[in-house]
C-alpha cells in the first residue's frame, strides 16, 4: 500500500478477530514509532507492550473506551519520560507523533488499531499508572490497541476547503 493510500484509508478499528499479533509485527510498529520527530530530538518515549490476558483485561477494565483490548490481543501504552523532556506539551506532541507512526505502520501491515486517549484525563492516567506500575517520571500519553481487524470501515473524504487559510485568517 502506498503512503497516501495508507494515510487516507486508516480508520479506528474496534472489532478484532483474536488472531495473535506476532512479535515481529510489534517490533516493526515500534520501530516506526521511534522514527517519529521529537522536539530537540530528545525522544522521550517509552512503550509498554501488553499481551498477557490478565494485563489486557485490567487495562480494559480501567479505560471506558478500551473494552476491545482483550479480543485484539495486543496493546501498547505510549509514555513520556518527563525527566528527558520536562516540557510536558512537547512530550505529549512527541508521543502523539510516535502514535501516529504506529497507526500508519500497522495499517500498512494489514493490522487494525484504535488510539484510546489517556493524558490529560487524570482518572485514566492514574489507572494506567496503577495497572502498569509506572514510575513517577513516566506519564502515560496514549493507548494503542493493535490486532487483526474484524470490521471494514468506510473511507470518507475529510478534506474541507473552508478549513484552509493562506497567509492570514480570512
Amino acid at each position: 500500500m502506498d503512503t497516501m493510500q495508507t494515510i487516507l484509508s486508516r480508520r479506528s478499528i474496534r472489532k478484532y478477530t483474536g488472531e495473535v499479533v506476532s512479535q515481529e509485527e510489534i517490533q516493526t510498529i515500534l520501530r516506526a514509532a521511534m522514527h517519529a520527530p521529537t522536539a530537540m530530538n530528545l525522544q522521550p518515549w517509552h512503550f509498554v507492550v501488553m499481551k498477557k490476558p490478565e494485563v489486557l483485561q485490567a487495562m480494559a477494565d480501567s479505560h471506558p473506551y478500551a473494552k476491545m483490548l482483550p479480543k485484539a490481543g495486543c496493546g501498547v501504552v505510549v509514555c513520556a519520560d518527563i525527566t528527558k523532556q520536562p516540557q510536558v506539551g512537547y512530550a505529549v506532541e512527541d508521543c502523539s507523533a510516535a502514535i501516529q507512526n504506529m497507526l500508519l505502520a500497522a495499517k500498512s501491515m494489514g493490522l487494525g488499531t484504535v488510539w484510546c486517549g489517556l493524558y490529560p484525563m487524570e482518572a485514566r492516567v492514574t489507572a494506567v499508572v496503577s495497572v502498569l506500575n509506572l514510575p513517577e517520571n513516566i506519564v502515560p500519553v496514549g493507548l494503542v490497541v493493535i490486532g487483526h481487524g474484524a470490521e471494514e470501515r468506510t473511507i470518507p473524504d475529510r478534506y474541507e476547503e473552508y478549513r484552509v487559510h493562506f497567509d492570514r485568517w480570512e
Side-chain angles (χ1 to χ4, degrees), residues 129-147:
V129 166
S130 177
V131 169
L132 300 179
N133 194 34
L134 300 178
E136 284 185 25
N137 61 304
I138 301 297
V139 176
V141 174
L143 163 63
V144 180
V145 177
I146 305 169

Side-chain angles (χ1 to χ4, degrees), residues 1-148:
M1 183 178 300
D2 78 359
T3 304
M4 282 305 293
Q5 185 60 30
T6 300
I7 291 168
L8 296 176
S9 65
R10 190 217 56 81
R11 290 287 162 270
S12 294
I13 302 299
R14 293 177 177 83
K15 294 180 183 171
Y16 296 91
T17 66
E19 182 182 344
V20 174
V21 177
S22 75
Q23 195 61 32
E24 294 78 25
E25 290 169 320
I26 294 167
Q27 187 176 30
T28 298
I29 292 166
L30 293 176
R31 183 177 305 282
M34 292 183 207
H35 277 78
T38 64
M40 297 171 279
N41 199 30
L42 292 179
Q43 303 171 29
W45 43 56
H46 285 268
F47 305 87
V48 181
V49 179
M50 302 171 294
K51 291 187 83 173
K52 289 184 177 177
E54 63 272 16
V55 177
L56 294 170
Q57 189 60 58
M59 188 62 64
D61 291 344
S62 72
H63 194 296
Y65 301 106
K67 303 306 180 201
M68 77 297 286
L69 188 53
K71 184 71 172 180
C74 181
V76 178
V77 174
V78 181
C79 303
D81 182 343
I82 57 173
T83 59
K84 186 123 175 128
Q85 175 50 275
Q87 297 295 325
V88 176
Y90 283 149
V92 170
E93 289 175 359
D94 295 346
C95 289
S96 296
I99 291 169
Q100 181 70 5
N101 277 13
M102 292 172 68
L103 302 176
L104 294 174
K107 174 64 180 176
S108 76
M109 298 162 58
L111 296 169
T113 59
V114 63
W115 177 354
C116 300
L118 299 173
Y119 186 87
M121 304 295 289
E122 191 173 325
R124 292 182 196 171
V125 168
T126 301
V128 171
V129 166
S130 177
V131 169
L132 300 179
N133 194 34
L134 300 178
E136 284 185 25
N137 61 304
I138 301 297
V139 176
V141 174
L143 163 63
V144 180
V145 177
I146 305 169
H148 293 270

